[in-house]
Structures are given as C-alpha cells and as structure tokens.
Amino acid sequence: MQGGDMRKGFYISKVVAAACVVAAIGAVATIIALSVVYAQEKSKNLETPAVTTTKSSPSSSSTTTTASSAIPSSATSTSSGSTPLSTTPSTPKEPWHHYRLPNSLAPISYNVTLQPRLTPNAEGLYIFSGHSAVAFTCVNETDLILIHSNKLNLTIIDGHLATLTGLDGASAPSLRETWLEVPTQYLVVQLSSPLQVGSSYELVTEFVGELADDLGGFYRSEYMEDGVLKIVATTQMQATEARKAFPCFDEPAMKAVFHMTLIHPQGTVALSNSMSYDPVIILGPDGENLTVTKFEPTELMSTYLLAFVVCDFTYIGETSENILIRIWARRKAIEEGQGDYALNKTGPILTFFEDYYNITYPLKKSDQIALPDFGAGAMENWGLITYRETALLYNPGVSSNGDKEWVATVISHELAHMWFGNLVTTRWWNDLWLNEGFATYVSYLGSDYAEPTWNMKDLIVLNEVIDVMAVDALATSHPLSSKEEDIQKPADISALFDSITYSKGAAVLRMLSEFITEDVFSEGLHTYLQEFKYRNTVYNDLWRHLQMAVDKAGVTLPHSVEDIMNRWILQMGFPVVTIDSQTGKITQKHFLLDPDSIVDRPSPFNYEWFVPITWIKTGVPQEQHWLLNKEATHAGMALGADEWLVANINMRGFYRVNYDSENWERLLAKLNTKPQEIPVINRAQIIDDAFNLARAKMVDTILALRTTKFLDKEVEYMPWETASRSLDYFYLMFDRTEVYGSLKAYINKQVTPLFNYFEDVTENWTKIPDNHTDQYNQVNAISMACGTGVKGCKELTTGWFKEWMQNPSDNKINPNLKSTVYCSAIAEGGEEEWDFAWGMYKNATLASEADKLMSALSCTRQPWLLSRYLQYSIDPDKIRKQDATYIIVYVARNPIGQPLAWDFIRANWDHLFNNYGGGLVSFGRIIDGVTQRFSTEFEYKQLLQFKEENIDQLGSAALALEQALERTRANINWVALNKEKVFNWFTSEAPPKI
C-alpha cells in the first residue's frame, strides 16, 4: 500500500525522539555554517595550484582545509599562515604512506550528523556538511591516529583538523600536528604523547564535501518528475568510499556501531540502515524548516555496508514474520505498481534464507530502494539495500520475463548477504570472492524457491559457469583468493570485482555443495555464521566448519575440504579432463584457450586439481569418481562397442571434458538420433566444451561445428543458447570477411525449424509460451531468424515496430520480444526509426524499457547515427553517466560500429577516465567490449600503442587491456588456422543459393 500508515509500526514518540536528537541539533548550527565557509573556499581554491598533501597550520583558528583536488578543485590549506606541504615517497617509510591501517586502534562507535543540500549553492555546487565523533580503544600503544578521509574539507579548530578527548576517565594527549595525506586518503593526527592501551578516546571532526554525481560515497542522483528536476542524496560505500562521507576507519574488519542523524529539507524522507525515531522539525539559518531524523544504533557492522538516503520517494510495504519490508522508489514508479513484484518476493526469499542458514534475520527491517543513478546492479547495505531501477522494479505490462528473472535473482543475491557478508564479514578484500561468489551461488537457490517453475538451478550453468570459463581459460586470469599483501590500494580492490570473483566463486561453491550435498553445506554454513556473527573471518574458517559438517554427516571424501578446495581457489584456471573410452585412462591438464600463451603465474599445486567426475554410461548414472593425480585409469570408463559416456553431469564440476575420437563420434551420432537420452544441460555442455576445445586446438574446429547439426531437431533453450554464444565467436571473427555469407546461410538452415516451431506454438505469434525457458528460446528463434534472413521474420518485426510508431502510446510488442524486435527494426530502418526509438528512450518511465531501447539504438547500420550515439554517450544531459560505458560496448558489438567505438575511446580516453570512473569496477568493460573482434596484426599493434600512450591512466581497465592483448593474439592465430576450412564446411552444409 502507499507510504504513511506503515511508519507507525516503529516510530517512537516525539518526546523520546526529541531527547535523542538533542546532541545532533547541537551540531546543526556548525554543520549549516560550514556550507558558507565551503562556498568561499571553493572560489579561492579554483585559482590555487594542486598539491599532493596538506598539513594544517597551528596558527590557524577556524577555517577549512581540503583533502583532494577534486573537492575543491585544488588541494590546499585556506589558513592565513604558510602551510607546510609534503608528498608521499614511492617507497613507504612512514605509517601514513601505507594503504593499510595499523593495528593500534579499534573503533567502538560513531556519532555522525550529515546535512545534504538538495539545491545548488551560489557557485552551482551541491554540497553536504557534517559532524562526526568516533569512539575508539587503543589496542597497541601509539602516538599516532590514522583515520581515512577522502575529498572532505575539514574545519580547522584550535589549529588542528580534529579534537581528541578521553572517555571513561582517560586523559587524552594534546595534538602535535594534523594533516591530510592525500595519496593514502588519511587524516593524520600526531600526538604529543602516546595513547594508553585499554583506554578509550573520542575523535571529533567537522567537514564539508561535494554531493557530486560520481556514484561513490555520499553522492547525488537526479531525475525528472512532471517536468521538475528532483535530487536524491544517496550512498555507495563499497569498497573504500565511506571515507568520502565522513572520516572513518574504512576497513571491513573495523566494525563499529553507528548512530546516524540526517538533517534534510522538510517534505523529504531520510532512510538509513536502522529504523528511525520520529523526525523533529527545526528552524534553519534562513528561516526555512528543516527535518532532523535520527536513527536507532546499528548492529556492529563494517563501514562499507553503511547507507543513507534523502529523497522524495514513497514506498509500499508489509510486515512479514515481524520484519518490516518496504520497497522505495520514485512516486510514479510505486503508483504504477513497479515495486509490487519485489515486495511479493522479498518475504518468501527472506524466509528461505532463514531456513537455509537456520538463523533468524538479524534486523528489524528490510528496506530496498531503487535509485535512478547507481553504478552497480545493487548493494547489500545492511537493512537498506540500494538498487539500480532495473534490478528492483518490474512492470508486468512492459517488462520481459528476463527483467523479472533479473529482479528475483538480484534481490536474492542481496538478501543472501544479510547473513553471509554482513553478519559475518571477511577480514579483508582479498577474500571478496567468498562473499560475492557465495551470494551469487545461493541467489539461484533463493530465486528458485521464489519461482519454482523457472529451473533457476539449471540456469546458473548458462549465466555463471559457462561465461566465466572463457575468462578463466586465459593466462592472464587470477586465482579466486589473493594474498592479503597483494591487495592494498583502492584500485587493487576495485580490480577484484570481476567475473572470476562472482561467477567462478559461485561455480566452485556450487561444485563443493554438490559433492558434500546441499544439506551438509547448509549445516556447515549455520555453524560458521553462529560462531562468527558480528565478527570477521578468512576463507579457512568456512572450510573448517564445512569439514565439521562433513564429518558429522559421515560423507566420504578423498581429502579434507580444505585440501580439495584450496586447489580451486589458490591457483587460477581449471582443468580439462580427457577420457579415453578405449582404455579407461583419464588425464587432466590446465585448460588454456590459447595453448601457446605463456603462464608466468606460479601455482602452489602445479596446476593440478582434485576433480570430482560425475558421469553416465549409455544413459545410466555411475558412481562419482575422483581424479586425484595428473592421470589415472578407471576400468569402468573403457567402453564396449555400443556404449557411450558423458562426464560432468549437469556441469556440476568446474572443468571441461574431452574424449577420444571414438566417443566423440558416438556422442554426435546420439545427438543426431536420440538427443533426449543425453541430459539437456549436457547437450549444452557438449557444444560448449567442443567449441572451446577447438579454440585450444585440442579437437578439430569442424568437430565443434558438427555438434550444432542436431539443432534443427532441438527446441530446448540451453543447447540453443550455448550454440548461439559459441557461434558468436565465429560472427566476431568472420562478419567482416567472405566467410560471413556461408555462416549466415548455415544458421538460417538450422534455425528455420525452430522459428516455425514457435510460430506454431504461439499460434502465429499471438500467444506467449508457457515455460520460462521456452519464452527465452522464442527470442533466440526470432533473433537468429531475422539476423540470417529467414523468410517472414523481418516483415514480422518491422511490422510490429511500424505499428508502434503509428501509435506511440500503445506498444503492443510482447515485452519478452521487445529487445530483439527493436534491434531488428532499427537495423532495417533508417533515421526515422532511430529518432523514434531515441524519443521513446528519453520518455521511458520504466528503467528496463529504457535499457532495451538504449541497446537497440546501437543496432542501426547507419555509421553517422552510430557516431552521433557515441557522442551522446558522454553528454550527461542525454545519457546517464552510469550507462555511458554500456553504450560504447553496445555500439562496438555492431560490426559497423566497432571501428567507430575504438576510434571514439582512443580520442576521448582522458575524458572517459577522469569523468566516467577510471577507478570504478566497471570501467574495464570498455576495453573488453570494444576489442572483442580484434584479430589482425594491425589491431594488435593499435592495442599495444594504446597501452603505451595511456600506461598511467588505465585504472581498473589495466587487467582488461592485458586480457585483450592475449585474446587478440589468440584470435590472430585461430583465424589463420581455421578460416579456410570453416568457410569450406559452412559452404558444404548450406550451399549458396544461385
């Protein structure tokens, strides 16, 4: 229901709230006044040269010093006296030159008051001001306080950037010197004498920061409603951005209790991790009414999980099992029912995880909010989960089943973190894989519970396992778990947020759950969470608890959980298991997509694994076999004349399988005669393994192509989707060559029966298939049919699109088919179709609809329209910053757009890096996306030149660039080896029509 009444369930009386908020209001005058100082200093600093580090002058009394050239635009003290400056040497010498906090202090609690301004000041800046008091204990004697602070203007009080007092009778030493160490993002406080071990102290700071639109820390999101610009103040703290909101000990192991207070314009709502007390109205300095909202203390938690939002949103909510659940979004989105699906599924998913972990939900509420501007898909802030609109909002009349699945999966992923990640947190970011890989794996279990007919436990194979194998088969991959000392800087941490961490993490944990059984896995999780709740762990702690569960259940393993799993997480890559069905010999070796690539990363296990081999012989399941050495023999795998075998059933293991030529021929024969005797996931696996083995020169490319011949008789989604992705590589390598015509003719021949099948099933495209994956495969049928010129397809899609153009207010295109219809029609059309789609994109009120149009606009075959679209991508008035990198990659997917996109990023790299998140986790996708087609020496040299020219300005794209170089070299070799025979095979299978 609409927001309003639900709040009475947890608000306390105004009298009590007023008492709670007294301390906060005491800081309000200071906070409001700080904005005036900030405005003055901003204008001064615009003319001051940037420096690396700022120290405050003891002679200053009450002014501001800034921590970064970003806010304001130069880092300089504003004191009247001369300011000593220092720079950080290349070799760390002092504690403040190290990126990790020393182990001398432990935070207890923070009392933070923040006031975001939702209108710009006289200089056109959006700002926030704040007051923070952190209580901490001295653990090891020290005369130094290091606390993170980034891009904050700190007020100088009594000559220093902070004040220190003793707690519980302790005496605080006086401050000797304070300054901001910009490279390592510290506020440095040197003391005249040491802090006493066991004593507690309080450090107070006052500050102003910019409420920028940079998607990090405390930032600004904007949207239009009824022609009015609306501003949202919101947060994204992971991984190292809490220090941009207030000074804090910004490491995951530095857990504390947070007492948050927000001062905000009357008529807006303030949200944070915990429940709020009744808001109090106060009078601002200009006579305006301001609301002060104070929140209950949080649980003991890490800084990266903090969240606070000030907005003009509303919500729908319900109470489920004494947990208040609310879905917040733009008012129009809630009124249109876009939050209903999320609300309906959150309660059941929470219930599932309570049962799965056997631990009740640790908080009183679960707020979930959809933000117009959000860099990630979602963020698991404890009690206030933030989402992109596409990950939380769903409109049945407009959204596709894919949109619905995404919402269910992302909600499940984030709710899984409420226990695993939030209640128990890994000690440092080198174990990020455990946090994110786990949540990714169990998100499929949670969404399977919420939507039992969708086969979500199967779809993990397509969505995570198959995709990440392509990355992990590169010599430039990395192990799941890094050494703690190798992950130091914020950029090191950002680089870990990749598909290895999420998808491979999910795949190996799924494999573990399969071989110890899901019940035993769940029991181990329960005892792990019980022992370490509100604390921090390393991955070995989980292995120990899973081992306890294995021993208790009597599960037999060839080695300990730790010994088995360390081979999967401490070395990169995975094995290819080769089975010789003539002799029963089994071998393993590190699978590399390019067999000529050099692996220079050492492995503690020599790139050998303990491999759980599940298998069927002639359709009959066999007992699991463990491959524990480089090679072994299993007599049962030596086959008779009419027998065949398939290994890695349902792709439960994270490895590829190769066979002797005899078994390959028997599998191909079975696929072409009775494919249903092979499980559907394994039909997909055979295709995927064969194509990748061919890339690695382990089987012939023609063998891989032959695994697609049975598809003219296949109607299931997973084999078709796998084949489509596998053939995508052939498109990328050959869609600019003479091979393309024959390739297109072959796909046309194979997909025509599927197109006709869905034409019948949907009664001439008037109905929607009942099954979730059939709905997906209908999209495949239309997309591939239109792309290869199947008769009647383009007429269908362009007809639907023209009908919409004639009546823009009534879009009758089936939501599931929109992406492929939009793309097909825009590709066939010209400026009129493009401009119509652009207009509908700009006016879309549902984010997932906007996303479909945003992607389809890149499908045009008109180069000038693609160039214009690329220019639009870096105009924030036309394209949200969060979407810019996606558009560049979308254009690069188009063979006409690919060279345009490559020229564009080279010409605009400085601008992209500095304004579109060179340090953000998603930035590497630009390089990855734009270089997918690279397969010539000329392109390789261009890539090398780009690296040399931008070596100091790659940020989180550095690894993606190395992988692009490796992939390009592999592509060059592959094309040279395969082009002629592939052309001949396609031509023989689908002779050109004369």
Side-chain angles (χ1 to χ4, degrees):
M1 65 179 180
Q2 287 288 332
D5 298 333
M6 292 298 296
R7 302 180 191 188
K8 294 176 184 171
F10 65 91
Y11 274 16
I12 64 168
S13 74
K14 280 189 167 59
V15 177
V16 177
C20 294
V21 93
V22 165
I25 292 177
V28 169
T30 305
I31 288 170
I32 293 170
L34 281 171
S35 63
V36 181
V37 177
Y38 182 82
Q40 294 166 348
E41 300 311 329
K42 173 76 176 186
S43 58
K44 285 186 201 173
N45 290 331
L46 287 172
E47 301 162 7
T48 313
V51 296
T52 312
T53 304
T54 304
K55 292 193 180 185
S56 65
S57 166
S59 62
S60 310
S61 57
S62 181
T63 179
T64 304
T65 186
T66 173
S68 166
S69 59
I71 313 201
S73 60
S74 302
T76 179
S77 169
T78 60
S79 61
S80 54
S82 64
T83 305
L85 304 175
S86 70
T87 58
T88 296
S90 56
T91 305
K93 291 178 180 172
E94 302 290 354
W96 51 85
H97 295 153
H98 292 269
Y99 283 89
R100 292 295 304 275
L101 287 166
N103 61 358
S104 47
L105 308 176
I108 303 165
S109 64
Y110 294 79
N111 222 307
V112 181
T113 302
L114 296 169
Q115 184 187 1
R117 310 306 198 282
L118 302 190
T119 53
N121 63 14
E123 282 69 39
L125 288 171
Y126 291 86
I127 63 166
F128 66 90
S129 44
H131 176 281
S132 174
V134 54
F136 60 88
T137 300
C138 178
V139 181
N140 292 297
E141 186 176 289
T142 181
D143 61 358
L144 181 71
I145 298 170
L146 294 182
I147 187 167
H148 289 107
S149 179
N150 185 26
K151 299 186 180 180
L152 294 174
N153 287 16
L154 297 174
T155 299
I156 298 176
I157 305 166
D158 298 330
H160 293 289
L161 299 179
T163 60
L164 183 69
T165 54
L167 298 176
D168 303 322
S171 175
S174 60
L175 308 189
R176 183 156 62 88
E177 193 170 12
T178 61
W179 74 90
L180 291 159
E181 188 69 23
V182 175
T184 46
Q185 303 178 350
Y186 286 131
L187 163 60
V188 182
V189 180
Q190 287 184 322
L191 305 171
S192 57
S193 59
L195 300 170
Q196 298 304 303
V197 174
S199 293
S200 297
Y201 305 87
E202 184 178 70
L203 187 77
V204 174
T205 53
E206 293 171 358
F207 48 89
V208 178
E210 185 175 356
L211 198 67
D213 61 350
D214 57 1
L215 308 177
F218 199 15
Y219 75 93
R220 177 178 92 252
S221 175
E222 300 179 355
Y223 65 100
M224 298 296 293
E225 193 165 80
D226 297 326
V228 178
L229 178 67
K230 300 273 190 170
I231 304 296
V232 177
T234 185
T235 55
Q236 170 59 26
M237 304 307 198
Q238 193 183 42
T240 57
E241 305 284 350
R243 62 193 70 171
K244 277 179 64 184
F246 60 95
C248 55
F249 298 100
D250 199 11
E251 293 189 359
M254 294 286 187
K255 290 192 171 186
V257 173
F258 295 84
H259 304 259
M260 296 299 308
T261 301
L262 292 172
I263 303 165
H264 51 105
Q266 190 174 13
T268 58
V269 64
L271 301 169
S272 191
N273 302 81
S274 49
M275 290 181 170
S276 64
Y277 300 115
D278 266 354
V280 173
I281 305 300
I282 62 167
L283 205 59
D286 299 323
E288 79 279 25
N289 284 339
L290 294 172
T291 303
V292 179
T293 302
K294 186 173 174 62
F295 298 87
E296 293 180 4
T298 67
E299 299 292 342
L300 198 64
M301 61 183 283
S302 304
T303 49
Y304 82 88
L305 294 168
L306 280 172
F308 26 93
V309 180
V310 172
C311 60
D312 182 31
F313 286 5
T314 188
Y315 72 89
I316 49 169
E318 65 179 27
T319 301
S320 173
E321 306 285 330
N322 295 319
I323 302 165
L324 178 70
I325 298 170
R326 296 183 299 187
I327 309 297
W328 295 84
R330 293 175 291 106
R331 291 180 177 276
K332 285 200 168 180
I334 294 295
E335 287 162 10
E336 290 173 7
Q338 293 181 29
D340 294 358
Y341 179 73
L343 182 65
N344 291 339
K345 296 303 173 185
T346 295
I349 292 171
L350 278 174
T351 300
F352 169 80
F353 283 124
E354 284 190 321
D355 292 343
Y356 185 69
Y357 298 124
N358 194 19
I359 294 176
T360 55
Y361 179 68
L363 307 177
K364 297 178 185 176
K365 75 168 175 86
S366 175
D367 275 330
Q368 299 178 90
I369 186 166
L371 297 165
D373 299 280
F374 193 70
M379 178 61 209
E380 67 268 19
N381 315 300
W382 214 8
L384 176 56
I385 306 173
T386 44
Y387 292 81
R388 269 192 185 218
E389 290 193 343
T390 49
L392 189 65
L393 304 181
Y394 172 78
N395 184 332
V398 184
S399 305
S400 69
N401 66 325
D403 299 329
K404 195 177 195 178
E405 183 189 305
W406 181 238
V407 170
T409 309
V410 177
I411 289 174
S412 187
H413 179 109
E414 304 310 328
L415 293 178
H417 275 309
M418 298 301 107
W419 292 262
F420 201 103
N422 298 9
L423 181 64
V424 176
T425 311
T426 49
R427 187 176 70 198
W428 184 241
W429 297 106
N430 61 307
D431 278 336
L432 177 70
W433 74 272
L434 185 59
N435 193 15
E436 294 300 348
F438 177 85
T440 301
Y441 166 51
V442 299
S443 70
Y444 286 86
L445 308 184
S447 50
D448 181 70
Y449 179 83
E451 296 288 359
T453 64
W454 284 3
N455 295 329
M456 289 303 296
K457 290 182 182 180
D458 292 351
L459 288 176
I460 190 174
V461 172
L462 278 178
N463 298 347
E464 314 296 340
V465 181
I466 284 177
D467 271 3
V468 79
M469 278 184 155
V471 179
D472 203 28
L474 298 174
T476 45
S477 187
H478 63 86
L480 273 171
S481 187
S482 308
K483 291 178 180 174
E484 191 168 341
E485 59 268 25
D486 291 343
I487 308 298
Q488 296 286 318
K489 302 177 183 179
D492 299 336
I493 299 166
S494 294
L496 290 175
F497 286 80
D498 66 0
S499 60
I500 297 291
T501 292
Y502 283 75
S503 300
K504 182 181 179 179
V508 300
L509 289 169
R510 170 179 176 258
M511 176 173 67
L512 168 60
S513 178
E514 291 281 359
F515 70 69
I516 68 173
T517 75
E518 200 172 292
D519 287 345
V520 172
F521 189 72
S522 176
E523 171 61 22
L525 291 174
H526 168 70
T527 59
Y528 167 81
L529 292 169
Q530 278 288 17
E531 179 176 341
F532 293 107
K533 59 187 176 186
Y534 305 109
R535 292 162 58 197
N536 295 82
T537 61
V538 294
Y539 70 84
N540 287 325
D541 295 318
L542 180 61
W543 296 163
R544 180 165 56 84
H545 278 268
L546 290 173
Q547 188 65 52
M548 286 160 46
V550 163
D551 295 343
K552 181 180 172 185
V555 174
T556 303
L557 296 175
H559 291 282
S560 68
V561 169
E562 180 175 357
D563 284 349
I564 293 169
M565 293 308 296
N566 280 356
R567 279 161 174 75
W568 296 95
I569 69 162
L570 298 181
Q571 58 184 353
M572 70 177 185
F574 57 89
V576 52
V577 172
T578 300
I579 299 172
D580 186 333
S581 69
Q582 306 305 297
T583 63
K585 184 180 178 183
I586 319 167
T587 58
Q588 62 161 297
K589 77 169 185 175
H590 182 193
F591 179 76
L592 291 167
L593 211 49
D594 176 8
D596 302 320
S597 57
I598 307 299
V599 176
D600 52 18
R601 184 189 289 272
S603 160
F605 306 106
N606 254 343
Y607 291 104
E608 290 180 29
W609 290 263
F610 294 154
V611 188
I613 301 176
T614 52
W615 59 298
I616 58 174
K617 183 196 283 191
T618 321
V620 179
Q622 306 293 308
E623 186 178 340
Q624 177 174 279
H625 177 77
W626 281 92
L627 178 59
L628 303 174
N629 299 297
K630 205 166 185 62
E631 59 180 63
T633 300
H634 183 37
M637 290 184 181
L639 302 182
D642 298 322
E643 294 180 316
W644 51 270
L645 73 81
V646 173
N648 197 12
I649 303 309
N650 294 331
M651 290 192 79
R652 292 179 197 143
F654 194 69
Y655 56 92
R656 296 204 179 280
V657 186
N658 190 14
Y659 306 98
D660 61 295
S661 58
E662 184 66 32
N663 195 59
W664 272 118
E665 291 300 327
R666 291 176 187 183
L667 290 179
L668 290 172
K670 183 57 63 178
L671 286 173
N672 283 308
T673 53
K674 295 180 179 174
Q676 65 280 3
E677 290 187 15
I678 298 173
V680 65
I681 295 178
N682 288 95
R683 301 205 292 275
Q685 173 223 10
I686 287 167
I687 296 170
D688 189 62
D689 278 352
F691 274 90
N692 281 278
L693 292 166
R695 290 270 299 277
K697 302 178 189 171
M698 296 184 72
V699 301
D700 192 78
T701 301
I702 303 308
L703 171 71
L705 289 169
R706 287 171 63 205
T707 65
T708 67
K709 287 189 69 172
F710 81 100
L711 290 173
D712 58 2
K713 298 178 279 294
E714 177 67 84
V715 296
E716 289 286 347
Y717 168 63
M718 292 187 75
W720 264 108
E721 179 64 19
T722 307
S724 172
R725 294 183 194 180
S726 297
L727 289 165
D728 271 348
Y729 181 70
F730 286 70
Y731 275 103
L732 289 170
M733 293 303 98
F734 297 132
D735 62 9
R736 299 174 291 175
T737 75
E738 70 277 15
V739 178
Y740 181 61
S742 301
L743 164 61
K744 198 164 79 161
Y746 175 69
I747 307 293
N748 175 302
K749 175 183 154 189
Q750 294 301 90
V751 81
T752 297
L754 188 70
F755 182 76
N756 295 336
Y757 168 81
F758 278 109
E759 187 175 32
D760 292 341
V761 165
T762 61
E763 296 178 12
N764 200 24
W765 315 108
T766 60
K767 286 174 58 183
I768 302 169
D770 296 330
N771 188 287
H772 183 64
T773 51
D774 284 349
Q775 291 176 34
Y776 282 156
N777 215 25
Q778 181 191 12
V779 175
N780 271 339
I782 292 176
S783 176
M784 295 174 83
C786 284
T788 59
V790 169
K791 189 177 176 185
C793 188
K794 286 176 184 172
E795 294 79 1
L796 191 68
T797 56
T798 54
W800 285 334
F801 196 79
K802 280 200 175 81
E803 193 180 322
W804 184 30
M805 288 177 69
Q806 288 158 8
N807 190 359
S809 62
D810 184 19
N811 185 350
K812 291 184 172 146
I813 301 168
N814 182 293
N816 294 344
L817 305 180
K818 282 179 175 178
S819 290
T820 192
V821 169
Y822 294 171
C823 182
S824 177
I826 289 169
E828 292 302 308
E831 183 179 4
E832 185 185 0
E833 285 77 8
W834 200 96
D835 286 346
F836 171 78
W838 172 255
M840 300 311 290
Y841 164 74
K842 292 301 287 180
N843 292 317
T845 57
L846 184 68
S848 58
E849 176 70 4
D851 274 9
K852 292 181 183 69
L853 287 159
M854 184 172 73
S855 173
L857 286 163
S858 70
C859 296
T860 179
R861 296 194 181 107
Q862 308 285 329
W864 73 273
L865 287 172
L866 291 167
S867 292
R868 184 174 75 176
Y869 195 29
L870 286 167
Q871 288 299 329
Y872 283 4
S873 73
I874 53 171
D875 180 348
D877 292 333
K878 290 187 166 67
I879 300 291
R880 290 186 181 278
K881 278 191 170 185
Q882 67 180 21
D883 295 327
T885 56
Y886 287 100
I887 286 173
I888 296 166
V889 171
Y890 290 155
V891 171
R893 284 183 194 165
N894 183 333
I896 297 162
Q898 190 272 322
L900 301 174
W902 176 228
D903 289 347
F904 179 79
I905 68 163
R906 286 185 293 168
N908 294 279
W909 188 255
D910 282 359
H911 180 76
L912 288 164
F913 184 84
N914 291 314
N915 295 282
Y916 287 83
L920 291 180
V921 297
S922 58
F923 199 63
R925 78 162 68 99
I926 300 183
I927 297 294
D928 182 62
V930 171
T931 60
Q932 288 287 323
R933 273 189 182 79
F934 281 18
S935 55
T936 67
E937 289 291 348
F938 179 67
E939 287 165 329
Y940 187 81
K941 285 174 184 167
Q942 284 187 319
L943 206 47
L944 276 177
Q945 183 184 347
F946 177 79
K947 178 184 174 182
E948 288 163 13
E949 290 172 354
N950 299 282
I951 193 70
D952 297 322
Q953 205 163 246
L954 292 170
S956 58
L959 178 61
L961 183 59
E962 291 306 316
Q963 291 174 339
L965 283 163
E966 183 185 350
R967 185 176 56 231
T968 302
R969 174 55 59 200
N971 290 346
I972 292 167
N973 296 339
W974 187 88
V975 169
L977 194 67
N978 289 287
K979 183 177 178 183
E980 186 179 352
K981 65 181 174 185
V982 164
F983 179 54
N984 292 337
W985 189 83
F986 281 134
T987 305
S988 67
E989 288 295 319
K993 292 171 183 150
I994 299 176

